[in-house]
């Protein structure tokens, strides 16, 4: 029992540190009135979006909760509501603090880089610590409450996944609509610089950074984090029930819990190191924190593995997960950073126009799928067989889930580093709009660029962990539906596979269209304001920021519904119509094509973005040249791919898997209606 | 025995008609000296490409044949060589006649549309009849020779598939390199019209139409055609061996053979109808022929099904295949024709620039995957369960193979209609280069546009049949390797699935890059010629056509090797390393993501193409407007997708499946090296 309470303590520690960091941030100077005014706009816009989003989501949560009570049981329903609410809370706290940190980062940057880095990173860290703290507290409480009935906890995962999908899709649409509107009319048509206060969409654009990159990303990792733990708990419980005499102390269940607790402590220590690092190079500061966190996890998991299981097999699985995650991150960097040949090649192709820019970018994205898939394949094989999967498959599947837990053990740190970027970016925007000295903008730009690199690596991590988590949940699904195999020689499985593989394509199309629609509305609005209020351009009239914020908000909320509902309804329908094996095929198809599309979209998008930036620093004619115009086309094509559709894929595949897991009992009982008709 | 010889007779009938049509074409008037000269360039260029290609391929065939003798047996090796050689012969004859028909079509168009349609369609029909005639003769001969050892015939399929892949990839690279080179430097930079004889790449461009759309497409359908028959023969033999007493007359094997024979007769009759049709509307003429052919197949298969099996189950499977093929064709038309909303929407988006044009085109392509996949899913379920797959899976799988055979039974007609397009297109080019009156070009343009619509539908058919054929071959593979299941709950199967799903992405990237490289070489050459020979533009100097033809040829041959070899080596390696089940997963993954990528690529490409044409007829500012420029970017991006990478996907998945089938014995015996290490 003592060990089980450790999990709650580690969660409370994370929240305590988040609270302390928040106090520190709030204490810092907010700057002058102009800065306060602008940051107030951003803060209020972001919070208004969240509130309206939560209104929508509360209806959704209520309906699904009732469905779950009706078809499954009240325990799963309670877990579902809690998972959803805790995800929302993590997003709310994180955004609240992030939008308080931006202006203070800008103010601190007037006095030097160190203090600015500290505030920006603290803001990100609050989000990270809220994600892991609330995640583990929720899971821990229900674990203690329900004991061995781990299956109820899948409801918690479903709640987290649902919110994640809506937050990612909604946030992605919001941020891109605002971005495109601000860029296309403001920068290109009106010729005013980035973050100019005369641009009516400028506040929406800055709000978008928070909504998409802070709240969306936080909800995404919240669900990966709890999903990986739930899958290993489910598989661990199964091991205990099957080979109970081998595990007198419930080791397979306790191990991932303890590992997660250690991961939290490691994240806190890593965050403290990164904050205190008196290094003039912010990249080194972030790296130091990340390394220290990782090393703590590695050492502790070796000890834990030896103590609990008597060997280092579990340890190897965990390290495999960590290494695979880092390798995928590295590959992501190689395909999306201008330091390597791929981005340079795209930049070279801008010379022959937009068409060759697009073709080469698509090709780079497609090529970049190869190594991550091979690494994931190695990860699966090593973590499965090292645990002894050849003789005991259940043990092997448990090994795969441990690799996912290993990859995500330092989520607190990952989120901190990811969320730090948009805070620095926002700080730069506020500095610009408040006419602070150029030196301030230089510092925030430097901090932001560091954030961009680490964010690319974080995206690789997110994809790798999504794949492993989905596969571990997939194994849990099979055990829950009591199917012996998911046999591709059966036509229904193949049908499921084909439909599943198609869903990411459909999903991608829907989200891309949504961004297009929302962006068009924004473009029209910005044009209208410039036309009807000529005083704006002269700086004599204040643009109607709120209207633009409202357009992005309304569009995001409207457009997120269909993809979100599809992701829940389709798997259940296929399971009911074609049975549990077809649904298994569907998940496998969705995972394989979803991971590929996610890699293609985020890497093509990232590569175009950096190819454009590579030209902007003076290559191939620099800004304003024909090459640059072609590069801008590439970047614009890549925007919805890398910031909306691509990141949503990860959640799509996990959400569909966990929906199937939660409804596995129903599908086991009623599934396969069409097949019964043929028999 | 009598029935078995029917197959040879039907093959001979097809070849006889091809011979008669050829005689008729050769007899027609070739036109003036200028026309003869130009058509001579095209003919010689095309033949030179084929000869050089065949030199490369003969080495490849030899090596693989030796490997097969060594690892499998000499019978399979003989079949392999024959399949390859017959595919080559079909391509050679077809191209020969096609490049003789183009100039005669142009000459006939001087005297009216009817005669021109007749010649162009006869040219295409020769290709179609050679494909089915040689295909069925080869298969029939080996079937009579080897009797029940149908497994040897898989070698024939492997030969056909290998040639198809090289022909498609090589032809696709050839045609796009020439096209881009001719357009970008000739039309855009030098401002001369399409098919202007001053353009050094103009001959290569016209050769490309033949190499890609005639020879490449012919080899593609040759392999689909024989592949579908082989899969149903394999599965039929299995049925006979397992439930011999139910089939005293070897019905499951004879049925597809007879069906194929009837399909040939139906194709011949359909071709005759289309040729004789005195309709002012060429579309109606082609449609009539197609409908008549289809109706003959439907009626005969109903009779055959009742007579041989005593019920209409096999008939329903066949009709299911036909209907699915037509539905996919219709969907393809709806997503790629300017008569429907999708293309109009892309055209509308050209108004806001190249980026939105690309995004909306990608989204259209992604969305267009949904219905074809659902139709294929229905096709699988209906043809499986109608045959009684619920109680006897072997019978159900046989039903799926019949659906594929049904879809491809009128391949002779499909190829005739497909190959007719490039002949009409070439005729237009020759008319232009020979300065024939505008009325001639009008007629050839009309004939060509009809060809484009039917070709789009043919592409849909090709994708649908590739999916069903691959799945039927997949079932044969499972039986050959004696695996009981391909279980996605086993990690190696999942690993296979992930790697398989990734291959089409890698393959797409490789072929897109190849087109880019080849096109760049062509661009450089055309620019060089314009620069070094200023007399060309004044019409005083003849451009060096041969040099451009040579560049396309060399690039196509060089670039086709790596993708072709990958498609053969990867499946065998995975089978050897990870075992037969992992290889099964690989095939399933490759089929699912390959079909999706094929649909995405060909539909996005087709939609961009027609959106540009829609603007060119006067919408959104017409030719030369900003919208048109954006439309051209879309079209250029779509070109390699729809003409090189997309069509290659179909063959890639079939080739990998049949490679696995041919090497199933080796994999059964030696496969799974890594797994043995872990055990």
């Amino acid at each position: 029992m003592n060990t089980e309470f450790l999990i709650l303590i580690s969660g409370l520690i994370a929240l305590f540190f988040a609270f302390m960091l928040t106090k520190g941030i709030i204490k810092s100077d907010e700057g002058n009135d102009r800065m306060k005014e602008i940051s107030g706009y951003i803060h209020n816009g972001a919070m208004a979006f969240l509130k309206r989003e939560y209104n929508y989501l509360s209806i959704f949560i209520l309906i699904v909760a009732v469905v779950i009570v009706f078809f499954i049981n009240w325990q799963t329903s309670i877990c579902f509501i809690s998972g959803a609410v805790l995800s929302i809370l993590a997003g709310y706290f994180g955004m609240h603090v992030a939008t308080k940190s931006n202006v203070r980062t800008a103010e601190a940057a007037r006095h030097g880089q160190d203090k600015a880095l500290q505030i920006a990173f603290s803001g990100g860290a609050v989000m990270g610590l809220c994600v892991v703290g609330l995640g583990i507290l929720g899971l821990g409480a229900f674990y203690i409450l329900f004991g061995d009935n781990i299956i109820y906890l899948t409801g918690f995962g479903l709640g987290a996944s649902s919110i994640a999908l809506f937050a990612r899709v909604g946030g992605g649409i919001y941020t891109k609509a605002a971005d495109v509107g601000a860029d296309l009319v403001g920068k290109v048509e009106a010729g005013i610089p980035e973050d100019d206060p005369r641009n009516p969409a400028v506040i929406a654009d800055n709000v978008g950074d928070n909504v998409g990159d802070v709240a969306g990303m936080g909800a995404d990792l919240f669900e990966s984090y709890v999903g990986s733990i739930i899958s290993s708990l489910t598989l661990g419980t199964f091991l205990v029930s099957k080979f109970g005499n081998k595990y007198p102390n419930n080791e397979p269940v306790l191990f991932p819990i303890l590992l997660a607790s250690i991961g939290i402590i490691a994240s806190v220590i890593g965050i403290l190191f990164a904050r205190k690092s008196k290094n003039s190079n912010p990249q080194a500061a972030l790296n130091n924190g990340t390394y220290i966190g990782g090393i703590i996890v590695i050492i502790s998991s070796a000890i834990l593995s030896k103590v609990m299981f008597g060997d280092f097999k579990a340890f190897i699985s965990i390290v495999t997960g960590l290494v695979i995650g880092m390798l995928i991150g590295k590959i992501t960097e190689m395909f999306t950073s201008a330091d390597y040949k791929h981005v340079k090649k795209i930049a070279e192709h801008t010379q022959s126009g937009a068409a060759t820019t697009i073709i080469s970018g698509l090709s780079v994205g497609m090529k970049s799928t190869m190594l991550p898939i091979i690494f994931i394949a190695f990860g699966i094989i090593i973590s499965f067989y090292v645990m002894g999967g050849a003789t005991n498959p259940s043990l092997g599947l448990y090994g795969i889930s441990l690799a996912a837990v290993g990859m995500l053990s330092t989520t607190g740190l990952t989120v901190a580093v990811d969320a730090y970027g948009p805070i620095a970016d926002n700080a730069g925007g506020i500095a610009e709009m408040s006419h602070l000295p150029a030196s301030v903008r230089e510092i925030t730009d430097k901090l932001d660029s560091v954030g961009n690199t680490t964010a690319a690596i974080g995206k690789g991590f997110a994809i790798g962990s999504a794949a492993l988590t989905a596969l571990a949940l997939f194994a849990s699904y099979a055990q829950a539906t009591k199917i012996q195999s998911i046999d591709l020689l059966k036509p229904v499985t193949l049908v499921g596979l084909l439909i599943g593989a198609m869903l990411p394509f459909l999903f991608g199309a829907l989200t891309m269209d949504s961004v297009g629609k929302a962006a068009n509305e924004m473009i029209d609005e910005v044009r209208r304001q410039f036309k009807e209020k000529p005083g704006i351009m002269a700086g004599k009239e204040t643009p109607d920021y709120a209207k633009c914020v409202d357009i992005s908000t309304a569009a995001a909320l409207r457009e997120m519904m269909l993809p979100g509902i599809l992701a829940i309804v389709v798997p259940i329908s296929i399971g009911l119509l074609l049975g549990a094996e077809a649904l298994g095929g569907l998940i496998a198809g969705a995972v394989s094509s979803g991971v590929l599309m996610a890699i293609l979209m985020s890497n093509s998008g990232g590569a175009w973005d950096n190819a454009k930036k590579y030209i902007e620093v003076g290559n191939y004619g620099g800004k304003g040249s024909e090459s640059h115009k072609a590069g801008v086309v590439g970047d614009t094509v890549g925007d919805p791919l890398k910031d909306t559709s691509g990141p949503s894929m990860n959640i799509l595949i996990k959400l569909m898997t966990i929906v199937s897991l939660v409804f596995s009992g129903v599908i086991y009982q009623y599934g396969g209606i069409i097949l019964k008709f043929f028999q």
Side-chain angles (χ1 to χ4, degrees), chain A residues 299-371:
Chain A
I299 295 173
S300 335
S301 65
I303 299 170
L304 218 54
S305 175
K306 181 72 185 162
V307 170
M308 294 183 81
F309 296 111
D311 55 36
F312 290 108
K313 290 174 177 175
F315 164 67
I316 296 175
S317 286
I318 284 167
V319 172
T320 303
L322 270 173
V323 171
I324 301 296
M326 284 196 279
L327 284 175
I328 297 178
K330 188 70 200 167
I331 294 297
T332 310
E333 194 192 336
M334 286 176 62
F335 276 90
T336 55
S337 151
D339 296 339
Y340 298 87
K341 64 173 179 182
H342 301 287
V343 170
K344 286 190 181 131
K345 203 160 208 179
I346 296 176
E348 198 189 313
H349 276 114
T350 57
Q351 292 175 103
S352 38
T356 44
T357 307
I358 298 298
I359 293 174
S360 59
L362 284 175
S363 159
V364 163
M366 285 160 77
K367 224 178 295 168
S368 74
T369 61
M370 187 177 76
L371 288 175

Side-chain angles (χ1 to χ4, degrees), chain A residues 435-633:
Chain A
H435 311 293
L436 297 187
S439 64
V440 173
R441 180 79 200 212
E442 261 164 44
I443 288 177
T444 61
D445 274 356
K446 189 171 175 193
L447 297 181
D448 185 22
S449 77
V450 169
N452 282 340
T453 312
T454 45
I457 299 170
K459 261 179 198 159
F461 239 83
I463 292 170
S465 66
L468 286 188
T469 305
L471 293 177
L473 288 169
F474 178 64
S476 314
Y477 161 78
Q479 282 172 351
T481 48
K482 296 168 192 156
I483 44 180
Q484 297 304 311
S485 65
I486 297 177
D487 185 2
L488 284 172
L489 293 177
K490 294 189 187 155
V492 286
T493 316
L494 272 176
V495 164
L497 184 79
L498 285 170
I499 294 177
M502 175 269 287
L503 289 175
F505 285 71
L506 177 63
F507 201 81
L510 288 177
T511 45
M512 280 161 72
D513 282 356
S514 296
V515 171
K517 260 189 261 176
N520 271 332
E521 290 170 36
M522 186 64 83
I523 289 169
D524 289 345
E525 170 62 20
V526 176
R527 282 193 187 140
R528 185 190 69 77
Q529 290 201 23
F530 276 137
K531 201 173 147 198
E532 293 178 7
K533 300 182 179 181
I536 292 178
M537 276 303 282
K540 286 176 192 157
E541 215 171 339
T542 312
D544 188 352
Y545 300 134
K547 182 81 192 149
C548 289
V549 168
D550 192 59
I551 284 176
S552 255
T553 305
L557 297 177
R558 185 187 68 223
E559 299 288 332
M560 78 183 182
M561 295 314 284
L562 178 64
I565 289 167
L566 266 186
I568 293 175
V569 171
V570 172
I572 299 177
S573 311
I574 291 289
L576 288 177
L577 290 174
L578 297 176
E581 243 179 299
L583 177 51
L586 179 130
I587 297 171
V591 170
S592 53
S593 92
V595 168
L596 286 161
M597 289 300 270
I599 299 175
L600 162 61
M601 288 176 155
S602 59
N603 288 357
S604 284
W608 277 316
D609 187 5
N610 284 324
K612 185 197 72 174
K613 286 182 182 148
Y614 182 72
I615 295 171
E616 282 174 354
V617 297
N619 296 293
Y620 301 116
K623 264 195 178 177
S625 64
E626 285 301 313
S627 292
H628 185 240
K629 278 179 198 155
V632 169
V633 171

Side-chain angles (χ1 to χ4, degrees), chain A residues 608-669:
Chain A
W608 277 316
D609 187 5
N610 284 324
K612 185 197 72 174
K613 286 182 182 148
Y614 182 72
I615 295 171
E616 282 174 354
V617 297
N619 296 293
Y620 301 116
K623 264 195 178 177
S625 64
E626 285 301 313
S627 292
H628 185 240
K629 278 179 198 155
V632 169
V633 171
D635 184 37
T636 314
V637 170
D639 260 352
L641 297 184
K642 77 175 198 300
D643 292 327
T644 311
S645 305
S648 310
M649 294 287 162
N650 295 331
I651 309 179
L652 173 74
I653 60 183
K654 282 178 288 175
L655 176 56
M656 293 204 303
T657 315
I658 207 153
V659 164
S660 311
L661 179 54
V662 170
F663 285 87
S664 55
V666 180
I667 286 156
Y668 174 66
Q669 206 168 351

